[in-house]
């Protein structure tokens, strides 16, 4: 009887974690439906799927496969976004993050976003509230920054930036950087307070078509502080440089 009750409780928690993003995004869906209800011809509902990185990385041990992608549906002012970041090694998922966000235009090229982030890996899972800003800064830097608050009171922040340098209309070099900061130590997931990790990349792509571009590049990762201590405890390196080959696409 206790086992049955425990299974029922786990199932209820699982369904709650799945339904929470939908419940939070329902008001955003209604806002999209009501946005300029009489101008469907001038302000249609549009969609886009963007695969920023689908790549094989030449790292120590098993070569990992990584996916960073995002998709949106909406109108000029209001959109619903899905973002995902997944890394697999030896056929197993090591990191998996999904964000479901409502986005509202603040100014030309700038949106405020809010919603839910769910970390399925590493375990135990974590669910965060999200508020952030995404847009195009002066000199054409693409910026994505967000603050995360977990239900138990944990906090985190992320900043990422990307720039495109055109050698020709088809050959494009893209430097990028990402920094993660956490407010508390979380030994269960191996993240420490303060500056946790940083990533920098340099990818050279060739646009066979604007929507389809294979690339090669190099990726650098480093952990800091208490996060680095957790990594050392597991016998892993605190920094790594990887050669990458991948594909960028959108439709």
């Amino acid at each position: 009887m206790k086992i049955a009750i425990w299974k029922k409780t786990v199932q209820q928690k699982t369904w709650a974690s799945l339904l929470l993003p939908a419940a939070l995004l329902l008001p955003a869906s209604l806002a999209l439906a009501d946005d300029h209800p009489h101008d469907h011809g001038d302000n249609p509902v549009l969609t886009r799927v963007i695969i920023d990185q689908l790549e094989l990385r030449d790292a120590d041990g098993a070569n990992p496969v990584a996916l960073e992608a995002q998709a949106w549906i909406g109108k000029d002012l209001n959109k619903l976004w899905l973002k995902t970041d997944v890394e697999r090694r030896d056929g197993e998922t090591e990191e998996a993050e999904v964000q479901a966000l409502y986005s509202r235009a603040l100014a030309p090229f700038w949106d405020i976003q809010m919603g839910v982030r769910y970390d399925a890996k590493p375990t135990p899972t974590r669910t965060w509230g999200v508020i952030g800003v995404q847009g195009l800064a002066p000199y054409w830097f693409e910026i994505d920054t967000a603050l995360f608050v977990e239900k138990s009171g944990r906090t985190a922040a992320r900043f990422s930036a990307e720039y495109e340098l055109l050698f020709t209309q088809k050959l494009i070099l893209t430097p990028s950087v990402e920094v993660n900061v956490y407010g508390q130590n979380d030994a269960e997931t191996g993240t420490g307070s303060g500056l946790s990790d940083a990533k920098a990349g340099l990818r050279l792509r060739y646009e066979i078509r604007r929507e389809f571009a294979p690339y090669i590049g190099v990726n650098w990762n480093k952990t800091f502080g208490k996060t680095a201590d957790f990594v050392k405890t597991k016998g892993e390196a605190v920094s790594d440089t990887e050669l990458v080959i991948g594909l960028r696409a959108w439709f």
Side-chain angles (χ1 to χ4, degrees), residues 153-175:
R154 294 183 178 90
T155 57
R158 176 179 296 160
F159 172 84
S160 61
E162 185 176 284
Y163 182 77
E164 294 189 344
L165 179 63
L166 276 68
F167 292 143
T168 70
Q169 291 298 317
K170 292 183 175 290
L171 192 62
I172 301 168
L173 182 66
T174 304

Side-chain angles (χ1 to χ4, degrees), residues 37 82 192:
L82 286 176

Side-chain angles (χ1 to χ4, degrees), residues 132-195:
V133 176
Q134 180 171 323
L136 196 62
Y139 303 102
W140 306 101
F141 285 92
E142 296 183 19
I143 304 296
D144 190 352
T145 183
L147 175 67
F148 308 100
V149 180
E150 202 253 347
K151 59 183 179 181
S152 65
R154 294 183 178 90
T155 57
R158 176 179 296 160
F159 172 84
S160 61
E162 185 176 284
Y163 182 77
E164 294 189 344
L165 179 63
L166 276 68
F167 292 143
T168 70
Q169 291 298 317
K170 292 183 175 290
L171 192 62
I172 301 168
L173 182 66
T174 304
S176 62
V177 64
E178 178 184 302
V179 176
N180 287 284
V181 177
Y182 287 86
Q184 297 83 18
N185 293 325
D186 188 350
E188 292 180 297
T189 60
T191 52
S193 63
L195 177 59

Side-chain angles (χ1 to χ4, degrees), residues 203-236:
R203 291 169 175 82
L204 180 67
R205 73 178 186 267
Y206 181 80
E207 294 186 343
I208 298 173
R209 297 169 50 192
R210 291 203 62 189
E211 303 89 347
F212 187 87
Y215 64 80
I216 58 173
V218 61
N219 207 43
W220 174 81
N221 308 277
K222 184 174 176 59
T223 55
F224 300 89
K226 188 63 176 179
T227 301
D229 293 338
F230 288 136
V231 170
K232 292 176 183 177
T233 300
K234 294 190 294 184
E236 300 176 359

